[in-house]
Structure formats: structure tokens, C-alpha cells
Amino acid sequence: MATQKSTRPPATAAERPHPDATRRSQRSRQAIYDAALELVGEVGYPKTTIEGIAARAGVGKQTIYRWWSSKADVLLEAFLDLGDRLVEAAGEEAYTIPDTGDVAADLKAVLRATVDELRDPRFEAPYRALAAEGVVNEELGRTFVARLLEPSLQLHADRLRSAQKAGQVRQDIDPRIALELFVSPLAQRWLQHTGPFSHAYTDTLVDYALHGLAPR
Amino acid sequence: MATQKSTRPPATAAERPHPDATRRSQRSRQAIYDAALELVGEVGYPKTTIEGIAARAGVGKQTIYRWWSSKADVLLEAFLDLGDRLVEAAGEEAYTIPDTGDVAADLKAVLRATVDELRDPRFEAPYRALAAEGVVNEELGRTFVARLLEPSLQLHADRLRSAQKAGQVRQDIDPRIALELFVSPLAQRWLQHTGPFSHAYTDTLVDYALHGLAPR
Amino acid sequence: MATQKSTRPPATAAERPHPDATRRSQRSRQAIYDAALELVGEVGYPKTTIEGIAARAGVGKQTIYRWWSSKADVLLEAFLDLGDRLVEAAGEEAYTIPDTGDVAADLKAVLRATVDELRDPRFEAPYRALAAEGVVNEELGRTFVARLLEPSLQLHADRLRSAQKAGQVRQDIDPRIALELFVSPLAQRWLQHTGPFSHAYTDTLVDYALHGLAPR
Amino acid sequence: MATQKSTRPPATAAERPHPDATRRSQRSRQAIYDAALELVGEVGYPKTTIEGIAARAGVGKQTIYRWWSSKADVLLEAFLDLGDRLVEAAGEEAYTIPDTGDVAADLKAVLRATVDELRDPRFEAPYRALAAEGVVNEELGRTFVARLLEPSLQLHADRLRSAQKAGQVRQDIDPRIALELFVSPLAQRWLQHTGPFSHAYTDTLVDYALHGLAPR
DNA sequence: AGCTAAGCGAGACGGTACGTCCTGTCTTGCG
DNA sequence: CGCAAGACAGGACGTACCGTCTCGCTTAGCT
């Protein structure tokens, strides 16, 4: 779901008073990202420590404290960086929603792709860790939403607007709310294990959301 | 959302090998629950420590480690206990969904009540903390869902089944999935601050879910 | 060196207010002695705990606290009891000093026997533990000296007095000080590992003590 | 009895794998020594805890565990350091044995001084604690003897050798054994309270040792 | 080319909390 | 009522990390 390639140095860091960023060691930075993602994958977020990241990255602790404000902050940027690298590898059209004219089919396709992505073990541990931290730490939560969720939500909203123009979705519908009818259930099942997490399920969500629960 | 009064000793505890529960000090137990909820409210979950809970409760640390396996476990039971006590205070009909025959009105009412409940500051901190922990700790997550979420979800499913009998909801709808169309968006907005959290919003969700996004 | 068979219940215990000693369980008492001596031998005095003794003896902790005031107290009595049992097994004449008329030969013989006894591994660990505790804990120290050391010292003093009568030791010598010339060096070498600990050594001590360092 | 000023870092420490000693905080080290000696004096050795030393010294516990292996080890070095400082304050000739040509007088003088020193309350508690620990913990015992006792014993042996040259002590006497005739009784009376501890007593010891118990 | 200043690896430091162990007291139920 | 059992409040243990700090060592960029 990381969608924007851009803007190193990153958002959260920019808000804090910084040492001279031009002298920053890119080698260390990348080693820290790698170590953080590996450790979260191996031992889980709570047992991932700054000392552990520094040791694995072959870096002094101070180098982490100099550039990031917290473990969550490191991991967030590491994850954004990972997303960027994967997107770059995947090519330009990777994170867009198709517009074939059939909104039901397009939404089903994108939700199926999201299901697959969320099952990717490279993503799972750090993504859950960040989501959890964001629930409890409002500042990180807002960054998480803005940097990771928002771009994807925007695409869904755009696709719904396009469907409104095509007459497949009612004009009086607010796309930002409408998209939650299928996106949020998916998110909740993944985050909270409240039920099976499959392509069949997301197809059903799209059908229910488009046609409603009430008889027509 | 704690719905069942019953069943002390609680689910999580039953799974671990236990000392003699008949000798257990109820005084200490209650003091621990109180201290845990107070501390989570005052300093937040991450800064709440077992040592701190023990000190405030006037209890030895071992008494906590004897009966619970983790900070999250303590808080989960404390929260369940709080729910039980509040339900008891509120009276029998507290956690039911009205069935006036108008499914839209009934769902709107219960979602409005949920919004209000989630804003209650006594609930907010511990509830978020548990939800976050459950995202990352699967065992606790399953208990969280089973003990806190499930009873409430069951009520929604029941109400939808009743609506199916009354012809207000289509027969081919699976109520367990259908309820997610309005419950999950609400949950996500609360957990992740993805948008305003109001009565107007939940009313809209019910309308969208019942009548669908597509033109009729 | 335990010389007196007698007098259960023992001295230290008699000074504290006691529960009804007539109902005391001899089974438990003996099990506690055995457990204490075993544990001191196996893991050393500092790692021997009251809980450990109680567990190995199959006894409640309270049974220990009821009858003894400290770990050292338990061990002291256990050791006295061990001494009594060994003396009983060895027969009456075990702890006496021979009086052949040759004071040098007699002292050499008894010191050689002491060397052998102090090397007995059944004695070593508890005896060292008690001696060490007695250095630091004056109350226990006095009991240790009175119950364990004193009887043996008395025998040495008696033998020296007999030698005075026989004209083998000067009349103006104080036997209580004189005996220290050979007993204390032996004790120190054993306690503090300040030198080899052998029959040759004790023979030398007796010769030096009897004839003095100065030329005659 | 600490006789060698020199050789920081000390013996015991050199045997264990060490962090970078050049970065070591001398401020902390001295504060730890002071706190340890104070606490042993105030509450006794068994109630002196590492936690307590750290707290009084204003130091993290880890700083103690980093440089010492046990409470006894801390105290040993603290005591050695104390000895060094006192010797430094006392001047060069402090720990030597006079050689006036009269071995009896010289030995009596030095034993009287030892009696006085052992009664100094600054020494008593830590010295007893170390001696006791050394009885039970062989490694510490050997260090205790080597660092604290040995230098003093060496001086006594030297004085006896000088007396041999002067014809005041027999040529066939082993000075390392001979010195025990008066040093060990003194040590035992002090450690085990086996009798009065006075100048008269040590004078007697020297007389007995030099002239022997047997009539001449 | 030499100098200064910053980032850097390293890791000691004062702290906090961990989870375990044991202390000495108290309570329960058995014999 | 002694006893086995063991829960309890308390507190020290030794470990792991926290976030800060200081040490030499690169490694620019500026004279």
C-alpha cells in the first residue's frame, strides 16, 4: 500500500530538529532499515529493540537516536522504504485501480489483490506492528494513515467517482464513506481475525455493498 | 461491549496451569483490576508496568505473575470485569438491540449508542490498548474478539436475521458478513482515526448498507 | 568434634518461646536435618534455602519456622545431631585424648585424627558454613564455639594439665592458651587455606610448640 | 593489613573478561567503594545488598555488575582500596616490623599493633565479612589470603629469618610455620571469640612460642 | 595540504522494569 | 493443635534496554 516513491528525507523526521542531513550515511540508513524489518519479522515488534537493530545493522545506537525519535518511527520509515523499493521493482501501474467500466469487477479485482498483498509475509509483521502502534499512539497513527492508507483510499474514492459518472453508483453517495463498506470489513478481518480472509469473502463484500441488504 | 456477566475464573486463565484457585485472594484481585485500569487511564498502556500495578494495588509482583501471564492478560480481565460491573449496574436490558420492526431505525440507534460508549473515557484507553495488543499478539487477539467483540456481533447478526424474517433484509444475505458493512467502518474510524466519528456518520452507514451504492 | 550426645531439644531453641514440644513430629525433625545437610553439601550454604529444605524434607515451611529461628540455626542443630549419631556409631572412647605418658606423641596422634576428620566430606561443607556464619553472626558464633569447639578444647587442656603433673609441661603455663599454639594454626590452615594441611605439618606444630623457637 | 599500594586494576578483576577499562568512571568506582564500606558498617554484610550499594552510590546496578562478579568481590576491592588509602595517609614505614635486635620485643610490639588495628571499627565489619566469605568461597578465600594476609605474613617470616641470623631463633625452624604459633591464635580469638583479645594475651603468646611449653 | 567540525561505531553510564526467587507470615483443611 | 501445602506482601536478584554521554576515528568542506 506504500504508494509514493518520493521525498527522502521523510515526513516524520522533517518535523524534528535535525543534524546536518547532507553528511548522513546512506549505508547506515539502509542497514538500519534492513535490520529493523528483519528483526520485526523474526522476533516480533515488541521484542525488537533499538539496541538489537543497532547491533544487527553494525551501527552505533546514537546513529539511530540521531535520526529517529522512536522504534515505531524507525519501523515506519523502514516500511515506507520497503514499499517504495517494491513499487519501483513492480513498475508504474502496480498501484492503480483498473477502470474497465464495470465497477463491481474492478473493485473485486483490487480487493483480491489487497488480500494477496496482506498475506505476503514480508509485509505482515511490520504492517501489523505499525497498525497496532498507531491504534495506541495517535501521532504515529496519523502518520500511518496519511502515508500508508490514504493513498490507497484515494484510489478507491476515485474509482467510485468514476462509477458515479458512469451511472453505476448513485450520485448522492459520498465516495469517502462508501468505500469503507468494503475496505473496512477487509481491514478488520485482517487485523482482528474476525473471520475468514479470502477472495470469496471480498467478492461478497462488493456485491453486498453495491446492491444493499434490503430487497429491491 | 462486555456482555457476559458470568464465568469467573476467566477464559485465558483457564488455559494455563494454575495454583489453587480456591485460596485466591479476592481483595488482591480486585485491587489489581482497579490499579490496572487506573494506570492505563493515567499514563497509557505502554507506561503501565506490572511493577506499577503491583505497587498501586498494594500487592506483591508475584501475586500478579501467579495468576496472569502478561500485562495484556491482566488488563483484558480487568476490562472484562469492568464491563461486567457496568452491565450489572445498568440492568438487564442494557446490551440488547431493540426490535421495533424497523431495522434501519434499530440499527441506527444501536450504532449511535456504540459511538457514545466508545467515547466514554473510562473505556477508551484500555479498550484501545487491548485492541492494539490483539493486532500483534494473536492469542490475546482471539480472546479479545471472543470475549469482547463476539457477543455484540452476535446481537447484530440476530437482529438482521429477525429483519430477514420480516422481509426487510434479503433472504440470501449472510448476516455475519452483512453486519460488517456498518460495524467495521465504525470500528476502523475509531481505531485508526480515518475520519469523523459521529451519529450522522453511523446513520449514513446504515442507509448505504441497507440500500446499496448502486442505483435502484 | 561434636562431643555431647545429649540434650534434645537443643540449646538455641530453648531460648525462644516454644509451641508444645511434646507434640513435635520427630519424623519431620529428622527429615529436616537430613535435607539441610544434604543441601549444604550439594549446593553450598548460601544457595541452601529454607524453602529448599522444606521441599526436600517434604515438610511445610511453617514447621521449620516454628522450631528454628534461622537457616544457620537449623544447620547448627543438624550438624550437632550428625555429630551425635556418628559418635554413637563410633563408640564411647571416640572423642578422648590418649594419655600414654608421652605428651608429644599423644598430641601428635590427636591432631592427626583431627586432620582426618576435617577432611571427611560429610563434615566439610556444613562445618565450614557454620564457622563462616559464626564469624559474622556473633550469637551463632558463640553457640558454635560452645557446642562444637569447647568440648574438644577442654580435652586438650585436660591433657596439658596432666602433662604438667607429669613434669612434661612447665607449671607456669596456662593450658587454655598453650593449646592454641597447635590448635589455632591447624584451624587457620583449614579455614583459610593458608598452607598445606598434613600429618607432617601437625607433627611439626607440636614439636615447635613444646620446645619453642629459641635455642635452648 | 593491605600492604601494596599499587596495581589497580586489582587481581580478581583481571581474571574476568572485562569491558573497556580505560573508559571506566573513577567517580563511580570510588562512590561504590564508599557506599559498600558504609553499608557493611551500618547494617552488616548480609543486609548489604548490591541494590543498596548502587542506590547509595548513585549508580546503576549494571555498573556494579559490569566490573565485579559478586557482593564479596566489591567489598574485597573496597577494602583493599581503603587499606591503600590508609597506608598512603600513614606514611611509608607503617607496615613494617621493627628490627631492634630483640625478636621477642619486636614481635610483641607488632602483635599489639595488630590487636589495635583489628579493633578499629572501620575495619572490623568488612574484614570479618571478607574472612567469613573466604571460608566458604574458596576463590575469594584465596584472593583474601593473597592480597590481605600474605603481605603481613611475609613480614613476620622475614623478621624470624633475621632472628635466625642473629641466633635468637633456631636454624632448623621453618619461619612460615613458626609464625603461625602466635599469628594463628590471635586470628582465631578474633574471628571466633574463643577468648579475651588483649595485649597481655599476645605477649604471652610470644613468650610461649619462643621458649616452648616444655621445661628447659 | 592542513584544519575544523560533524557523523560515526562503540559502549559506559544512571536508570527502570523485567520475571524469578526467597523471606517470614498467614490461612485452610487433614489427622 | 501440629502439620503439609501454599498464597500472600515484600524485596533483592541478575538481566535487558532505555536514552544520554563521551571517546577516538573517519570524512567532508573550508581555508
Side-chain angles (χ1 to χ4, degrees):
Chain A
M1 280 194 188
T3 310
Q4 296 164 328
K5 296 186 169 194
S6 52
T7 47
R8 302 269 81 74
T12 51
E15 292 145 15
R16 289 184 302 113
H18 248 192
D20 181 349
T22 67
R23 313 192 68 169
R24 184 168 186 181
S25 160
Q26 293 308 312
R27 245 179 112 275
S28 295
R29 186 208 295 241
Q30 198 58 53
I32 289 164
Y33 287 160
D34 294 346
L37 292 170
E38 283 168 32
L39 282 172
V40 167
E42 289 171 23
V43 304
Y45 179 76
K47 293 196 174 174
T48 297
T49 65
I50 299 231
E51 285 204 345
I53 294 170
R56 176 166 306 204
V59 137
K61 286 200 297 179
Q62 201 57 252
T63 299
I64 298 184
Y65 286 109
R66 190 162 17 240
W67 300 106
W68 292 276
S69 62
S70 66
K71 180 171 73 165
D73 199 22
V74 175
L75 189 60
L76 176 58
E77 287 194 25
F79 192 68
L80 288 168
D81 177 76
L82 172 65
D84 289 356
R85 281 182 289 158
L86 292 182
V87 167
E88 213 157 321
E92 293 302 315
E93 79 300 331
Y95 288 91
T96 58
I97 296 184
D99 193 343
T100 64
D102 179 350
V103 70
D106 291 350
L107 290 176
K108 286 177 182 176
V110 79
L111 289 192
R112 284 171 174 235
T114 302
V115 165
D116 295 342
E117 184 188 342
L118 289 174
R119 280 176 167 157
D120 182 333
R122 286 173 302 178
F123 277 110
E124 170 120 21
Y127 199 95
R128 297 193 94 89
L130 288 168
E133 189 64 18
V135 165
V136 130
N137 172 339
E138 182 156 351
E139 191 198 325
L140 184 112
R142 297 207 178 278
T143 308
F144 176 82
V145 168
R147 302 285 320 269
L148 285 169
L149 297 186
E150 186 53 33
S152 168
L153 297 180
Q154 197 55 48
L155 295 179
H156 287 84
D158 291 345
R159 184 62 189 81
L160 288 177
R161 277 188 208 99
S162 157
Q164 283 179 316
K165 280 187 193 137
Q168 295 183 323
V169 164
R170 297 205 314 265
Q171 299 304 318
D172 60 328
I173 290 285
D174 177 347
R176 291 295 309 206
I177 297 180
L179 63 87
E180 295 181 16
L181 294 202
F182 38 87
V183 164
S184 293
L186 180 63
Q188 187 171 34
R189 283 213 171 182
W190 185 71
L191 284 174
Q192 306 195 310
H193 310 283
T194 45
F197 190 71
S198 65
H199 290 181
Y201 166 65
T202 51
D203 288 356
T204 305
L205 282 178
V206 172
D207 288 334
Y208 285 11
L210 285 176
H211 305 115
L213 307 177
R216 326 203 92 184
Chain B
M1 278 195 186
T3 310
Q4 296 165 328
K5 298 184 166 194
S6 52
T7 49
R8 301 267 85 69
T12 51
E15 292 146 15
R16 289 185 299 113
H18 249 190
D20 182 347
T22 66
R23 288 207 194 288
R24 185 166 186 181
S25 160
Q26 294 308 313
R27 241 179 117 274
S28 295
R29 188 208 293 241
Q30 197 60 52
I32 289 164
Y33 288 159
D34 294 346
L37 292 171
E38 283 169 32
L39 283 171
V40 168
E42 288 171 23
V43 304
Y45 179 75
K47 292 197 175 175
T48 296
T49 65
I50 297 224
E51 220 150 53
I53 295 170
R56 175 166 305 204
V59 138
K61 283 202 293 179
Q62 202 56 47
T63 299
I64 298 185
Y65 286 110
R66 194 167 9 246
W67 301 106
W68 293 277
S69 61
S70 67
K71 181 171 73 165
D73 200 21
V74 175
L75 189 60
L76 175 57
E77 288 194 24
F79 192 67
L80 287 168
D81 178 75
L82 172 64
D84 289 357
R85 282 182 290 158
L86 291 182
V87 167
E88 214 157 323
E92 294 301 315
E93 79 301 330
Y95 287 93
T96 57
I97 296 184
D99 192 344
T100 63
D102 179 349
V103 69
D106 291 350
L107 290 175
K108 286 177 183 175
V110 78
L111 289 192
R112 285 172 173 234
T114 302
V115 165
D116 295 342
E117 185 187 340
L118 289 174
R119 280 177 167 156
D120 181 333
R122 285 173 302 177
F123 278 110
E124 170 119 21
Y127 200 96
R128 296 193 95 89
L130 288 168
E133 189 65 19
V135 165
V136 131
N137 172 340
E138 182 156 352
E139 191 198 325
L140 184 113
R142 297 207 178 278
T143 308
F144 176 81
V145 168
R147 302 285 320 267
L148 284 169
L149 259 33
E150 186 52 34
S152 168
L153 297 180
Q154 195 57 48
L155 296 179
H156 288 84
D158 290 346
R159 184 64 189 83
L160 288 177
R161 274 186 210 101
S162 158
Q164 283 179 315
K165 280 189 193 136
Q168 294 184 325
V169 164
R170 298 205 315 266
Q171 300 304 318
D172 60 327
I173 290 284
D174 177 347
R176 291 295 310 207
I177 296 180
L179 62 87
E180 296 181 16
L181 294 203
F182 38 88
V183 165
S184 293
L186 179 63
Q188 187 171 34
R189 283 213 172 180
W190 185 72
L191 284 175
Q192 305 194 312
H193 310 283
T194 44
F197 190 71
S198 65
H199 289 181
Y201 166 64
T202 50
D203 287 355
T204 305
L205 281 178
V206 172
D207 289 335
Y208 285 12
L210 285 175
H211 304 114
L213 307 177
R216 323 204 95 184
Chain C
M1 279 193 186
T3 309
Q4 296 165 327
K5 294 188 170 192
S6 54
T7 47
R8 301 271 85 69
T12 52
E15 292 146 15
R16 291 184 300 113
H18 249 190
D20 181 349
T22 65
R23 313 192 65 171
R24 185 167 185 183
S25 159
Q26 293 309 311
R27 244 180 113 272
S28 295
R29 188 212 291 245
Q30 198 58 53
I32 288 164
Y33 288 158
D34 294 345
L37 293 170
E38 284 168 31
L39 283 171
V40 168
E42 290 171 22
V43 304
Y45 180 75
K47 292 196 177 177
T48 297
T49 65
I50 300 235
E51 284 203 344
I53 295 170
R56 176 167 306 205
V59 137
K61 285 200 301 179
Q62 200 55 255
T63 299
I64 298 184
Y65 285 109
R66 193 164 13 241
W67 300 106
W68 292 276
S69 62
S70 67
K71 181 170 72 165
D73 199 22
V74 175
L75 189 59
L76 176 58
E77 288 195 23
F79 191 67
L80 288 168
D81 177 75
L82 172 64
D84 290 355
R85 281 182 289 156
L86 292 181
V87 167
E88 212 158 325
E92 293 302 315
E93 80 299 333
Y95 288 93
T96 58
I97 296 185
D99 192 344
T100 63
D102 178 348
V103 69
D106 292 349
L107 289 175
K108 286 177 182 174
V110 77
L111 289 192
R112 285 172 176 235
T114 302
V115 165
D116 296 341
E117 184 187 342
L118 287 174
R119 279 177 169 156
D120 182 332
R122 284 173 302 179
F123 277 110
E124 170 118 22
Y127 200 94
R128 296 194 95 89
L130 288 168
E133 189 64 18
V135 165
V136 130
N137 172 341
E138 182 155 352
E139 189 199 326
L140 185 113
R142 299 209 177 275
T143 308
F144 176 83
V145 168
R147 302 286 319 268
L148 285 169
L149 258 34
E150 187 52 35
S152 168
L153 297 180
Q154 196 55 48
L155 296 178
H156 288 83
D158 290 347
R159 184 64 190 81
L160 288 176
R161 275 189 209 101
S162 159
Q164 283 178 316
K165 280 186 192 137
Q168 295 184 323
V169 163
R170 298 205 313 267
Q171 299 304 318
D172 60 329
I173 289 283
D174 178 345
R176 290 296 308 206
I177 295 179
L179 64 86
E180 296 181 18
L181 294 203
F182 37 87
V183 165
S184 293
L186 179 63
Q188 188 171 34
R189 283 214 173 180
W190 185 72
L191 283 175
Q192 303 194 313
H193 311 283
T194 44
F197 189 72
S198 65
H199 290 182
Y201 166 65
T202 51
D203 288 356
T204 306
L205 282 177
V206 172
D207 289 334
Y208 286 11
L210 286 176
H211 305 114
L213 307 176
R216 326 203 93 180
Chain D
M1 279 193 187
T3 310
Q4 296 164 327
K5 299 187 167 194
S6 51
T7 50
R8 300 267 87 68
T12 52
E15 292 147 15
R16 288 184 302 110
H18 250 191
D20 182 348
T22 67
R23 287 207 193 290
R24 186 166 185 182
S25 160
Q26 294 308 313
R27 241 180 116 274
S28 296
R29 189 210 292 241
Q30 198 58 54
I32 289 164
Y33 287 159
D34 294 346
L37 292 171
E38 284 169 32
L39 282 171
V40 167
E42 290 172 21
V43 304
Y45 180 75
K47 292 197 178 177
T48 296
T49 65
I50 298 225
E51 219 150 53
I53 295 170
R56 177 168 302 205
V59 138
K61 283 202 291 179
Q62 202 56 46
T63 298
I64 298 185
Y65 285 109
R66 190 161 20 240
W67 302 106
W68 293 278
S69 62
S70 66
K71 182 171 71 166
D73 200 20
V74 175
L75 191 59
L76 175 58
E77 288 194 23
F79 192 67
L80 288 168
D81 177 76
L82 172 63
D84 289 356
R85 282 182 289 158
L86 291 182
V87 168
E88 215 158 321
E92 295 300 315
E93 79 301 332
Y95 288 93
T96 58
I97 296 184
D99 192 345
T100 63
D102 178 350
V103 70
D106 292 350
L107 290 175
K108 286 178 183 174
V110 77
L111 289 192
R112 285 172 174 237
T114 301
V115 165
D116 295 342
E117 184 188 342
L118 289 173
R119 280 177 168 156
D120 182 332
R122 283 174 303 178
F123 277 110
E124 169 119 20
Y127 201 95
R128 297 194 93 88
L130 287 169
E133 189 64 18
V135 165
V136 130
N137 172 341
E138 182 155 352
E139 192 198 324
L140 185 113
R142 298 208 176 277
T143 308
F144 176 82
V145 168
R147 302 286 320 268
L148 285 170
L149 296 188
E150 186 52 35
S152 168
L153 297 181
Q154 195 56 48
L155 297 178
H156 288 84
D158 290 345
R159 184 64 189 82
L160 288 177
R161 276 188 209 101
S162 158
Q164 284 179 315
K165 283 191 189 130
Q168 294 185 325
V169 163
R170 299 206 312 269
Q171 300 303 318
D172 60 329
I173 288 285
D174 177 347
R176 291 294 310 205
I177 296 179
L179 63 86
E180 296 181 18
L181 294 202
F182 38 87
V183 165
S184 294
L186 179 62
Q188 188 171 34
R189 284 215 173 179
W190 184 71
L191 283 175
Q192 305 195 311
H193 311 283
T194 45
F197 190 73
S198 64
H199 290 182
Y201 166 65
T202 51
D203 287 356
T204 306
L205 281 177
V206 172
D207 289 334
Y208 286 10
L210 286 175
H211 306 114
L213 308 177
R216 324 202 95 182

